[in-house]
Amino acid sequence: MPAVSAPSSAAPDTVLVVDFGAQYAQLIARRVREARVYSEIVPSTMPVAEMLAKNPAAIILSGGPSSVYAEGAPSLDRALFEAGVPVFGMCYGFQLMAQTLGGTVDDNGAREYGGTPLHVSKAGSTLFEGTPTEQSVWMSHGDACSAAPEGFTVTASTEVVPVAAFENDEKKLYGVQYHPEVMHSTHGQQVLEHFLYRGAGIEPNWTTGSVIEEQVEAIRAQVGDKRAICGLSGGVDSAVAAALVQKAIGSQLTCVYVDHGLMRKGETEQVEKDFVAATGANLKVVDASERFLTALAGVSDPETKRKIIGREFIRVFEQAQLEILQEEGPEVAFLVQGTLYPDVVESGGGTGTANIKSHHNVGGLPEDIEFELVEPLRQLFKDEVRMVGQELGLPDEIVQRQPFPGPGLGIRIVGEVTKDRLDLLREADAIAREELTVAGLDREIWQCPVVLLADVRSVGVQGDGRTYGHPIVLRPVSSEDAMTADWTRMPYDVLAKISTRITNEVADVNRVVLDVTSKPPGTIEWE
């Protein structure tokens, strides 16, 4: 089950995921949470003494792109393996454990990438109890372990790798060459849970209810008797964050919905009706559409647009703060945001990650912000947020709606943002959403951004005449957590109906195209 923001020091049943630069480090942490055990990610550069000071119940070593014997490769102090804490190495973490403890890891040409048959030689072992002796796993390695450290039992192999898994029950040290955290490893979650429950002896008792209780306590301690405001964007994240803070501090929270003119069709009316009905929260609606359009005039660069939108949000909130102060008196010192873990990672806030884009809640905030932030969902993935929202009693109309970015349609227009372009995109987006609902695809598709290529025109024929209109891009994607995604294979008849309606009903659009790029390499949003 999910995690929320990590406590200052880890609880007894916390699993640390040591990140060696793996693309799957966040996924490992997420899989641990699905096993109802709290997890948090720490960098491989963290001293072992600091890791152990967190009193972890277990430690998982992630994969990584390096070779363990290469100069400058990430390493670990042997003391980690001698501290009595259960450790599970995956891929690079497995090789590092083997090398550090006296095993042999070398480049013997035993490269394996993708789905690989695994032979389990010790079917009743701690990791493989109850799994088939022949199973498919996901490999991604060039080096291989040819000899296990002394005291370890080899429990699995592949056609080219003699040591694909080893176990030492006495010291509670375990490792596999493959990636059990990815769904392509058919029994990977079962193996991970065996480590957690059998190897580490952890009880699976971390639930949605305990997450909410933890965060309510933390929010009350942070806010005290002061007031907070929350920016509702119309999306799932801000709604769940607001509902969680509302549960914690009640009337001390005022929700501010900024109609920045970048919302989808009917969005403002839905927020005003559904959210207030579900939570009973105080809601202040601010019409700032002209302000945002003026600030965005002439701007085409996506990073600049994000930063402008983030800046203007804060300025509007500061004005709302003054008005609330005049109306109600107590100081408004806190700003609640629905920041999620993928937002932090993509903004360069994750362990060893590059700044892919400035999220409006993270890198897009102005430096002179006067609020202290309250971010109860900062360590959550999207599906975990939905679970918390359901537990809080929010209706499906809010919890199950497709994700929508805080900057709104401003980052779904490639080019300058103008009122005419927004109106055009709003109509195209409404048609796409309507047809997806009619086709019963709302739950199947993670989200379907509709993008206007405002600076692109193409020749078309409409009504026996030549046109020179804009293309609209459909970006249907499927994902579990927004860290990775694949384009959704939608039925052709649904795509055809959306295309026909958009080109017939939306003025100045004469072409609809489909984005079939996965993430990576492409992000979900275009800007």
Side-chain angles (χ1 to χ4, degrees), residues 464-476:
D464 295 327
R466 178 185 184 278
T467 60
Y468 196 51
H470 296 292
I472 284 287
V473 180
L474 302 179
R475 173 70 165 137

Side-chain angles (χ1 to χ4, degrees), residues 84-87 122 124-128 150-155 166-175 194-195 198-200:
V85 177
V87 180
K122 299 288 184 181
S125 73
T126 295
L127 293 183
F128 294 106
E150 184 178 350
F152 283 75
T153 300
V154 177
T155 54
F166 55 45
E167 305 180 31
N168 186 327
D169 285 319
E170 181 182 353
K171 294 186 176 180
K172 298 183 178 180
L173 302 178
Y174 306 87
H194 281 345
F195 165 70
R198 292 158 57 86

Side-chain angles (χ1 to χ4, degrees), residues 31-46:
R31 295 301 186 215
V32 174
R33 298 170 188 178
E34 287 179 358
R36 294 192 295 154
V37 177
Y38 179 78
S39 65
E40 62 176 84
I41 299 172
V42 298
S44 62
T45 54
M46 176 181 284

